Amino acid sequence: MKIEKLQKLLEDMSLEEKVGQMVQIPGAMMKKGGIITGPTESFELTPNILQMVGSVLGINGAEELRTIQKEYMEKHPHHIPLLFMRDIINGSETIFPIPLAQGCTFSPKTVEECARFAAREATARGLHITFSPMLDLVRDARWGRVMESPGEDSFLNAQMGKAMVRGYQGDTDTVGKGHMGSCIKHFAGYGAPEGGRDYDAVELSERTFREEYLEAYREAVKEGSAMVMTSFNTIDRIPATANEWLMRTVLRDEMGFNGVLISDWGAVDQLINHGVAKDSREAAKFAIRAGVDIDMVSNAYMKYLAELVKSGEVEENLVDEAVMRILKLKNDLGLFENPYKDGTKEAEERMIRCEEHLQCARKAAAESFVLLKNEKALPLSAAAQESLAFIGPYVDEKMLYGGWSYPMHPEKTITIREGASRKKSNIIYAKGTYVLEQGQHTTNGITQNYVQDEVKEMLADAMEAARSADKIVMFLGEHAKQSGEGASKVRIRIPENQMDLLRKIYQINKNIVTVIFSGRPVEVSEIAAMSKAVLMAWMPGSEGGNAIADVLFGEAEPGGRLSMTMPRSVGQVPVYYSRLSTGRPNPEGRTGGGINGYLDETLIPLYPFGYGLTYTDFRYSQVELDRDVMHGEDVITAKVTVQNTGDTVGTETVQLYIQDLIGSVARPVKQLRGFQKVHLNPGESKDVSFTIQEEMLRFYDIHMQYVSEPGEFYAYIGPNSDTENKRMFQLTE
Ligand code: BGC
Ligand code: BGC
């Protein structure tokens, strides 16, 4: 539809109709069978809203959405189609690794492909928009939602965010076939709640907020994301959903976002709980003034927006602007021509869990696994002589996917046992214990009740298996529902019953490899001390068992590098590599008084950001620069030669970090500014070079101007954020 026709349509709509476009309700309220993802106790549908509401969330299925759309459009005064939205976070039916694990791939290409395939399946199921990517910067593993983010680093998150937006939306201006609109969330700063407590206040300096926390959202906006979602938190004491500075000045004026802004679930009414709005009516007023176009599941717009316009408290043109953006989005999705978009039974049958998508899930999972330790214990041999026992509650686990995964066929998840038995037939399997401790809770209300006979039997089987095998692989981890929304924890350890199992096994047989499942960095010091090799598998998705078997038996490499620092202890969080220099630096991490650090623990985390081993070894040459002075538009090429010094083919993730030695404000000790993968045969070397440009040196200076400052810099190139392989260069006026 032409823009003039949209304008005409808007002029023709009644105020109630316009307000309807700005309201989103759970699809489950329209039709049975949908999923309600947040609380609805206080939500009351007003009469007429079912005929007027502009979008729904949480339902899918081609046939069902067709029926809903058809019936709805017939009754709607202007026959405007509904928008169907849902949380397609790491896949629709084919489940890919969780976003935190996707961050570990350091491969925007892989991440884009996962998003593209997720969109194909989701659009076949009739959906138009996904509430993804989540680009909240995360540095505190107590927060359960770290699993939904690509990680702790603004540069990495920006690359991943752009890749996801491209994958979902395609690279054309409108959203074409097999693609869907993306929604960047949660704007802004939601990843830094105090104490890691979900929904808590965020206290950040404007400089850190702008420079680090906004970076990934900013880049994803530039990539053209159709939507942005507000966050639940306050920032500078103002709830994001009522924050005019954040939404109008920063998001719209500075970042240039001109798509649709939606609140998070119930966030408009929650302005009352925050203590800034006295009632729902006032909440609606604050949210529309801040520029929120769609109110997701609260009563505020539905009940009070029309009244606020009539009383003159809200200017009608604010409503018109919002509705125009929503209509334009529907138009960009082609819904006026084809309200069902790509949802057909035929497309569902062709797309859902097709071979191409499953292969991608398998490959992406292997690329996300991080090998933390390996004393020649991996890869395993598939030869019959080596007897293996696979022990732990994860050997038969189907819940290998994180929150927001709603596969239609969870029973089709490839388990460890299924994946491994395709490689080697004589492995002994034993669960040993349950995933959870007796009485432990998860977010979906699961509480483990121990059946004592079963407990004894599981343990006895595991001990027997440990005695008889040459080598043991332990499969341990958090429950899939111990991370995600509302899953903050003060202990970032895997359940204690599993640690007990490991300790008992270790008494019998010390030849142990451990594979860990988790939606967050967990404390693994004790596990690492008892294991000859440790593989971090996160929540790997539909093909988890196959991918793990591929990596354990050396048919695929463990491709991941940590996208979040692994602390030694929860007491070290928040922890991240790009810290500011302090007045009393402590690079060796000494314990004791008078220095930056702790009395009872080193300052140094267990495994740094960017870290991950491979099945071979690499040697780096010293960093070489083609020039060491940069002036004006000059660029510097920084180069290393990387050699595979081991006897296995391998892929190294080469990382460029930059440090600004003196600034008008304190600068991070190092910042990631580039990464590349290089594939090398045994003995082979290749040059890897990065271009350093002036704009990579910019930051918010003492006057809050985004500029670079002349002076000295280090360019580091190495295998992770701990690298000391560096060369100095200068930026001159
Ligand atoms: C979450 C969002 C999600 C929304 C809709 C909220 O509780 O914070 O991330 O997109 O629900 O399901
Ligand atoms: C302490 C100050 C103290 C000063 C002189 C510093 O190390 O931080 O509190 O007054 O020493 O003793």
Side-chain angles (χ1 to χ4, degrees), residues 527-580:
I527 296 174
M530 285 190 276
S531 311
K532 294 205 157 58
V534 180
L535 184 73
M536 199 67 201
W538 309 110
M539 286 292 159
S542 301
E543 285 289 308
N546 278 333
I548 286 171
D550 288 344
V551 169
L552 290 180
F553 289 97
E555 285 172 29
E557 298 180 67
R561 302 293 181 271
L562 290 176
S563 60
M564 246 186 120
T565 304
M566 299 275 284
R568 284 170 202 275
S569 147
V570 70
Q572 289 183 322
V573 305
V575 59
Y576 51 97
Y577 80 94
S578 62
R579 315 171 56 229
L580 297 181

Side-chain angles (χ1 to χ4, degrees), residues 168-220:
Y168 290 131
Q169 298 197 160
D171 43 21
T172 50
D173 284 348
T174 51
V175 182
K177 194 165 167 53
H179 286 289
M180 69 199 309
S182 66
C183 177
I184 300 161
K185 68 188 188 185
H186 306 82
F187 198 76
Y190 182 42
E194 280 195 342
R197 292 178 295 268
D198 210 356
Y199 318 118
D200 218 315
V202 169
E203 288 290 336
L204 287 171
S205 73
E206 185 179 341
R207 187 170 278 105
T208 302
F209 180 61
R210 282 182 174 279
E211 194 169 309
E212 302 187 23
Y213 283 77
L214 292 186
E215 176 68 4
Y217 310 120
R218 189 184 291 121
E219 289 298 312

Side-chain angles (χ1 to χ4, degrees), residues 346-375:
E346 181 277 322
E348 283 181 331
E349 272 157 24
R350 193 159 37 87
M351 294 293 180
I352 304 284
R353 290 179 54 85
C354 69
E355 198 46 35
E356 191 182 15
H357 299 179
L358 292 173
Q359 284 306 326
C360 170
R362 182 169 180 167
K363 189 174 133 276
E367 277 183 65
S368 78
F369 298 158
V370 185
L371 184 60
L372 297 175
K373 175 177 179 179
N374 190 14
E375 290 171 354

Side-chain angles (χ1 to χ4, degrees), residues 300-564:
Y301 281 12
M302 180 173 63
K303 282 192 167 169
Y304 302 107
L305 196 49
E307 188 184 312
L308 283 163
V309 170
K310 284 178 198 149
S311 72
E313 285 165 89
V314 166
E315 291 170 36
E316 188 157 5
N317 74 342
L318 290 186
V319 170
D320 288 348
E321 277 170 21
V323 175
M324 192 58 193
R325 284 194 282 260
I326 297 165
L327 294 178
K328 200 169 163 303
L329 174 57
K330 294 183 176 185
N331 197 38
D332 286 346
L333 285 156
L335 299 185
F336 289 103
E337 289 74 30
N338 173 13
Y340 312 110
K341 197 164 171 358
D342 311 318
T344 62
K345 226 176 155 73
E346 181 277 322
E348 283 181 331
E349 272 157 24
R350 193 159 37 87
M351 294 293 180
I352 304 284
R353 290 179 54 85
C354 69
E355 198 46 35
E356 191 182 15
H357 299 179
L358 292 173
Q359 284 306 326
C360 170
R362 182 169 180 167
K363 189 174 133 276
E367 277 183 65
S368 78
F369 298 158
V370 185
L371 184 60
L372 297 175
K373 175 177 179 179
N374 190 14
E375 290 171 354
K376 297 197 163 56
L378 285 178
L380 305 171
S381 153
Q385 310 75 290
E386 187 175 55
S387 67
L388 294 175
F390 278 21
I391 301 175
Y394 267 93
V395 292
D396 287 318
E397 185 58 55
K398 298 260 182 204
M399 283 284 287
L400 297 181
Y401 37 82
W404 303 116
S405 309
Y406 309 106
M408 285 191 298
H409 300 288
E411 75 286 355
K412 289 190 181 160
T413 305
I414 305 292
T415 63
I416 307 301
R417 188 196 293 253
E418 286 160 354
S421 54
R422 291 173 190 172
K423 310 279 183 204
K424 185 172 159 96
S425 57
N426 62 340
I427 302 172
I428 312 162
Y429 299 89
K431 275 177 75 169
T433 183
Y434 302 110
V435 174
L436 291 167
E437 290 166 42
Q438 163 68 32
Q440 213 170 17
H441 301 288
T442 64
T443 53
N444 58 354
I446 292 178
T447 310
Q448 184 69 57
N449 280 318
Y450 275 38
V451 181
Q452 286 311 326
D453 287 349
E454 217 172 78
V455 171
K456 278 194 204 127
E457 204 177 308
M458 281 192 288
L459 181 63
D461 285 353
M463 301 307 268
E464 178 56 35
R467 252 178 231 115
S468 63
D470 296 330
K471 196 184 264 181
I472 294 159
V473 186
M474 298 293 295
F475 295 89
L476 309 175
E478 281 195 306
H479 188 280
K481 297 281 181 191
Q482 283 181 300
S483 58
E485 187 173 353
S488 296
K489 287 172 74 186
V490 296
R491 290 176 201 86
I492 52 170
R493 300 172 59 82
I494 64 162
E496 202 48 34
N497 58 312
Q498 298 187 44
M499 290 304 298
D500 278 344
L501 174 69
L502 175 62
R503 290 178 199 123
K504 288 196 175 105
I505 301 277
Y506 183 72
Q507 294 311 316
I508 300 179
N509 188 335
K510 298 195 167 30
N511 204 7
I512 296 176
V513 170
T514 305
V515 179
I516 302 173
F517 297 84
S518 169
R520 56 156 62 80
V522 278
E523 293 176 7
V524 299
S525 304
E526 190 186 349
I527 296 174
M530 285 190 276
S531 311
K532 294 205 157 58
V534 180
L535 184 73
M536 199 67 201
W538 309 110
M539 286 292 159
S542 301
E543 285 289 308
N546 278 333
I548 286 171
D550 288 344
V551 169
L552 290 180
F553 289 97
E555 285 172 29
E557 298 180 67
R561 302 293 181 271
L562 290 176
S563 60
M564 246 186 120

